[in-house]
Amino acid sequence: MSNPTRGARAPSTCARPRHRAALALAAAALAGAAQATDYRWTGGAGSGASFWDLAANWTPGLPAGPEARALLGAHHTTLRSGSFDIASVHGTGRLSFTGGTLRLHGDASALWAMHLDGGTLQGRMNLTHLRWDRGSFGPLDPLSDPASHLVVSGNTTIGPGGDKYVGYGAAVEWRGTTRWLDGDSSMAFDGRLALGPGSRFEDHVTGGSHELSVAGGFVNAGTYVKTGSGTSTLSMPYAGPLAENRGTLRVLEGRYEVRGAPADARWHNGGRLEVARGAAFTLDISRGGFSHTGTAQIDGRAELRTPDSGFESSGQWLVGSSGVLRIVTGGPLDPARGAHFSAGTLRNDGVLAFEGGEAHFAPQASLTGRGRVEVTRGAALVHANALSVGALRLDSAVAPGWHEPYWGRVQAPSLTVGRLDWGVGDLRVAGPILVTGTARLHGGPQYWVSDGAGPDVPGYRKQIDGQLVLATASWTGETDIVGSGRIVVSRGGAFRDEAAADLAPREGSGRPVVLGVAAFENHGLHLKTGAGRTEVSARYYNTGRVLTQGGGALIFTGPLNTPGTLHARGARIDVRGGLAQWSAGERRLTGGTYIAERQTLGLDLLGTGGIARNSARIELRGSTARLVDNHGGVDRPALATLAVNDGSLRLLAGASMATQSALRNAGEVVVAAGSSLASTGRYTQSGPSARTWIDGTLQAAGLSFEGGVWGAGSDGTVGRASLLGGAVTLSAGQLDVDILGGSLYDVVWISGRATLGGSLHASFGEAAGEGTYRVLTAGGGLTGSFAAVLTDLDPAVYRLEVRYAAQSLDLVVSRLTALELEGPQALLPASPVPEPQTYALMLAGLGALAARVHRRRR
């Protein structure tokens, strides 16, 4: 429509302040083209017919010719049909296109506003405002149509729908605020698009998608903001376009995608890329590549795919705690198609994933942060400096089908990681690998290799050539762990071997999985679970605990040094490679703890003589528990020749043991309820620190207690001791008796004759009181007496009397009467009568009771 009101005014009075720039441009164009022919808009066809193709609206007529200038003044006009070839057009109103073609062959035209809703505009044009719903700009025939350049200094509005096209070679520059309205919409540029410095592009789509195709290049020097839950796409369909972000690309909602055709399309970020929490950014360029010299802040999801092109970065990356950055590059056989970080820092506090190719960090670049790094699908991560990350997942196997599987790697001088998930892939770290949190080691052989001479070898085995320090780790045992390095399980940590089955080569029978690094140190818990066997060929040092809990055996074929504990509970443990705690010359077990719990624990004692002296701690738990000498692959009872125990020997939960020689105990012997210890010779206890606790059966040709402490029950509990065989002599030492109640107290039963001596210590619990306690019975008769009787009863309240009989000994406790004096009471044996020197010992003992004797036996 025309605007007769604005057209009737002189330009100096009708121009709005914001139009003065456009008027100045129009005046300059008029002054510089003295030879031009001016065609002025008159609006003669009436206010309802402001169409270009009506000659009545023009003077001297319809504008035509390469020197023609269309002067519109402040009128609003519409080009609906026809083809106009002129030099330029100028005005401070709005030009609307609904059809037709306008070719501008001269210098830049200038209009206040344009609404492109059809038709075609070609040539150079400066606009203050643009609304674009349909139509095209630029040459349709690059050889004959004029070169086109459109500059919009103010607001641009892009409506929904398609049919928006910019021809080959044309350039569009938006310098103000551009709003791409919601709804399905597309723009196709065979030319170039630029967002000028200070500009703002607001791309909002929720109910559909926005598609921008740019074949001639796209440069953002302003701020591009993507909002809405829908998807916006920038595609580069032809060879050679450049997409460059020099300003800020901010993806706040939904998804923003950049796509490149399989040619030389490339994308460069020299500005700032921001992906907000919940939003997504995808870059998928086949050949042209990606380069980054700016800053990227990833709090949402970003995926950069350049599988057939390069990835170069010297800028900064910040992956927030909610962010995910996935980098997908070429295969491992072509490092040039990988990701190259030549400088800058990639700080990852979220998830950083490398897929497919090699990611290389030069010495001037670094990867840091508390987040998780994933190396998958054949990818490799090569870091020139020491690498420290919050978590690492290496599971990089690829099975392409056309050849044998291959896998990637993580390579660095050293590695510190909070959590390690190590699947199929190589850890090429010559220095220390420190895992401060949990570690999971898994992944199978992938294939088998054979040279025809020896056994099959797994195609993939975990290799450690440095030092791997673990806190809490699990290993599935699907393939071997080998290498020239060392594994260390920290104090208080745990290593869980979960091998579910033996390895099954293509040829031959199954074999144990091998833990075959140079050295293994366990200062925590080494727990063997699962039904598969494990062979430890490493030099093994154990200060912690080794425990079998599953059905698979644990076999040490390398040298073993174990000051700590070996505990065979769920499956057998065999030590075949030499034991540092075994002195073959003395036939002595010098240290360590060896527990067989309803299982067999085998030691190679380098001969068939068995253990003559035990200075270690040995526990047999259960009736099927055995400690054997497996020298030569034949099991023999290891304790059958035991003669001296100055360590700890404990038979628990029904365990039994027999020795073919006399046994002298200078350490600790415990025979728990249901358990038995038998010696064909004499059992002798000597030494002040010796202890024998019997809640089961102790049988020998004779028993002598010449020092230390012995008693019924286990340490700290009451029980019944059965001493079978020959006579029992208590020449020295102490018989310890616990009395916890009227029917709950220690009882010693001796099948033969007993000769008393030494001392007796009676410890009473709070529930114990007055009564008679038969604590010792000797079927073969009882002679002698204790030189001293000690108790923790309060002497101001109770009297303790020892009554000796022909075959028994009773302790009688009675409460003092009111007529008796308070204080220590003489404890006089009933029969036989002690000698005077015995009275002196008893009085000394009673003096010590003034401060109550502790109940503990020791």
Side-chain angles (χ1 to χ4, degrees):
M1 294 177 60
S2 64
N3 189 338
T5 303
R6 289 182 58 189
R9 296 179 181 177
S12 61
T13 60
C14 72
R16 302 174 186 174
R18 60 181 178 177
H19 302 158
R20 289 175 181 171
L23 290 174
L25 290 172
L30 291 172
Q35 304 300 320
T37 302
D38 292 341
Y39 291 83
R40 298 181 182 277
W41 182 271
T42 64
S47 60
S50 57
F51 302 114
W52 275 51
D53 55 343
L54 299 179
N57 285 325
W58 298 95
T59 183
L62 292 177
E67 302 299 330
R69 293 186 307 181
L71 305 179
L72 302 179
H75 295 275
H76 297 335
T77 64
T78 301
L79 197 156
R80 63 179 182 179
S81 62
S83 179
F84 295 85
D85 281 87
I86 61 176
S88 60
V89 59
H90 305 272
T92 58
R94 181 178 65 247
L95 171 60
S96 298
F97 276 80
T98 59
T101 301
L102 176 60
R103 297 184 179 89
L104 305 173
H105 298 271
D107 295 334
S109 298
L111 292 173
W112 172 69
M114 177 183 292
H115 182 194
L116 193 57
D117 195 24
T120 300
L121 171 65
Q122 299 172 356
R124 294 178 175 85
M125 173 67 74
N126 292 325
L127 295 174
T128 302
H129 303 290
L130 170 67
R131 168 69 187 243
W132 190 8
D133 291 307
R134 294 182 303 122
S136 63
F137 171 76
L140 301 178
D141 184 352
L143 299 179
S144 60
D145 292 337
S148 299
H149 188 187
L150 174 64
V151 176
V152 182
S153 59
N155 296 332
T156 298
T157 301
I158 302 169
D163 298 326
K164 302 178 187 70
Y165 173 72
V166 174
Y168 179 82
V172 175
E173 182 177 358
W174 288 320
R175 297 179 178 176
T177 298
T178 301
R179 294 180 176 88
W180 197 347
L181 303 182
D182 194 9
D184 285 324
S185 183
S186 63
M187 294 185 286
F189 281 69
D190 279 340
R192 299 182 303 278
L193 173 63
L195 305 180
S199 66
R200 180 178 177 86
F201 192 105
E202 299 176 358
D203 179 357
H204 182 80
V205 55
T206 56
S209 64
H210 286 173
E211 297 183 7
L212 172 60
S213 174
V214 181
F218 170 63
V219 175
N220 171 38
T223 300
Y224 190 115
V225 181
K226 164 66 177 70
T227 59
S229 58
T231 299
S232 293
T233 303
L234 168 64
S235 61
M236 298 173 287
Y238 302 148
L242 168 69
E244 181 175 7
N245 176 42
R246 300 173 186 169
T248 299
L249 173 58
R250 187 174 292 136
V251 185
L252 299 181
E253 298 173 318
R255 176 180 294 275
Y256 187 83
E257 298 180 353
V258 178
R259 299 174 182 169
D264 296 328
R266 55 196 176 98
W267 199 86
H268 173 70
N269 179 49
R272 182 173 180 83
L273 170 65
E274 299 177 7
V275 183
R277 182 192 294 262
F281 173 80
T282 301
L283 172 77
D284 191 348
I285 298 178
S286 299
R287 283 173 49 188
F290 168 80
S291 59
H292 173 76
T293 59
T295 299
Q297 175 73 53
I298 310 299
D299 293 311
R301 300 183 66 88
E303 182 171 309
L304 310 179
R305 303 181 65 89
T306 58
D308 299 310
S309 58
F311 182 108
E312 301 288 340
S313 175
S314 60
Q316 304 297 317
W317 297 86
L318 301 170
V319 182
S321 59
S322 61
V324 178
L325 173 60
R326 192 172 301 276
I327 298 176
V328 183
T329 54
L333 302 181
D334 186 4
R337 293 187 295 156
H340 298 272
F341 295 83
S342 58
T345 298
L346 197 166
R347 178 175 178 85
N348 169 47
D349 292 325
V351 177
L352 170 65
F354 297 100
E355 293 184 9
E358 179 174 304
H360 184 271
F361 286 79
Q364 295 77 23
S366 62
L367 171 59
T368 64
R370 303 182 302 271
R372 184 172 78 249
V373 176
E374 298 181 353
V375 182
T376 62
R377 298 184 184 177
L381 170 59
V382 180
H383 199 271
N385 301 318
L387 180 60
S388 178
V389 295
L392 174 63
R393 177 187 171 218
L394 172 60
D395 197 3
S396 197
V398 175
W402 47 272
H403 64 68
E404 290 178 334
Y406 62 88
W407 49 87
R409 70 189 187 280
V410 171
Q411 182 174 331
S414 64
L415 172 63
T416 300
V417 58
R419 300 177 306 280
L420 175 63
D421 182 354
W422 183 7
V424 178
D426 294 333
L427 266 181
R428 297 185 186 176
V429 181
I433 303 171
L434 175 61
V435 185
T436 60
T438 59
R440 180 173 178 262
L441 283 60
H442 58 98
Q446 305 301 302
Y447 57 90
W448 291 85
V449 178
S450 176
D451 59 4
D456 290 352
V457 178
Y460 170 74
R461 297 188 292 178
K462 282 182 166 46
Q463 182 160 334
I464 300 170
D465 293 322
Q467 177 169 286
L468 174 60
V469 180
L470 301 170
T472 301
S474 62
W475 170 42
T476 59
E478 296 169 86
T479 191
D480 303 332
I481 299 180
V482 298
S484 60
R486 174 190 304 266
I487 297 177
V488 178
V489 180
S490 301
R491 188 177 303 276
F495 179 83
R496 186 183 180 97
D497 174 1
E498 302 171 345
D502 288 359
L503 289 185
R506 292 176 299 187
E507 302 293 337
S509 59
R511 67 161 177 84
V513 63
V514 173
L515 183 55
V517 290
F520 192 106
E521 293 184 18
N522 174 46
H523 303 291
L525 171 65
H526 181 164
L527 180 62
K528 173 71 177 73
T529 67
R533 294 175 297 165
T534 299
E535 176 185 339
V536 182
S537 61
R539 184 174 69 254
Y540 198 102
Y541 180 58
N542 172 47
T543 64
R545 184 184 182 200
V546 177
L547 172 64
T548 59
Q549 193 162 280
L554 183 60
I555 308 164
F556 291 91
T557 58
L560 172 64
N561 185 350
T562 177
T565 300
L566 298 183
H567 188 167
R569 175 192 287 169
R572 176 173 175 139
I573 295 178
D574 276 301
V575 179
R576 300 176 182 173
L579 179 64
Q581 282 68 35
W582 174 243
S583 174
E586 300 177 274
R587 290 172 54 204
R588 175 188 175 198
L589 197 59
T590 62
T593 299
Y594 308 85
I595 302 174
E597 185 176 353
R598 299 183 300 276
Q599 273 295 341
T600 298
L601 199 161
L603 307 177
D604 187 348
L605 301 180
L606 307 179
T608 60
I611 299 173
R613 178 180 175 185
N614 172 47
S615 301
R617 180 184 177 97
I618 298 174
E619 285 191 16
L620 304 181
R621 301 179 183 176
S623 59
T624 56
R626 295 193 304 157
L627 180 68
V628 302
D629 175 6
N630 60 19
H631 180 69
V634 178
D635 288 347
R636 305 172 187 86
L639 298 172
T641 57
L642 184 65
V644 177
N645 175 61
D646 53 9
S648 177
L649 177 63
R650 302 171 66 87
L651 307 178
L652 311 175
S656 62
M657 174 195 151
T659 179
Q660 301 169 2
S661 61
L663 177 59
R664 180 172 64 87
N665 175 43
E668 178 191 52
V669 171
V670 176
V671 182
S675 301
S676 64
L677 170 61
S679 174
T680 58
R682 189 172 186 83
Y683 181 88
T684 303
Q685 176 170 297
S686 62
S689 60
R691 300 288 186 270
T692 298
W693 305 113
I694 310 164
D695 197 14
T697 301
L698 175 58
Q699 182 172 0
L703 296 97
S704 296
F705 294 94
E706 302 171 358
V709 178
W710 72 283
S714 298
D715 188 7
T717 63
V718 300
R720 178 181 178 87
S722 297
L723 278 61
L724 308 180
V728 178
T729 301
L730 283 69
S731 60
Q734 174 181 288
L735 172 60
D736 190 89
V737 177
D738 282 337
I739 300 175
L740 302 183
S743 60
L744 187 62
Y745 55 92
D746 286 340
V747 175
V748 176
W749 186 81
I750 300 172
S751 64
R753 182 180 70 255
T755 302
L756 302 182
S759 63
L760 180 145
H761 180 272
S763 178
F764 287 81
E766 294 180 358
E770 295 180 278
T772 299
Y773 305 96
R774 180 156 293 180
V775 297
L776 189 149
T777 301
L782 183 67
T783 62
S785 63
F786 293 109
V789 177
L790 306 176
T791 182
D792 60 358
L793 282 175
D794 188 349
V797 179
Y798 294 102
R799 174 191 294 112
L800 175 63
E801 181 184 1
V802 181
R803 294 180 181 176
Y804 297 92
Q807 292 182 318
S808 62
L809 183 150
D810 295 340
L811 297 181
V812 180
V813 179
S814 59
R815 187 178 292 271
L816 297 178
T817 65
L819 299 177
E820 295 177 291
L821 297 176
E822 295 183 358
Q825 301 297 314
L827 303 180
L828 302 178
S831 175
V833 178
E835 297 178 357
Q837 59 267 30
T838 304
Y839 281 114
L841 289 173
M842 294 170 61
L843 290 174
L846 290 172
L849 288 176
R852 291 186 64 92
V853 180
H854 288 295
R855 292 184 62 252
R856 298 295 301 167
R857 295 174 173 171
R858 297 187 184 275

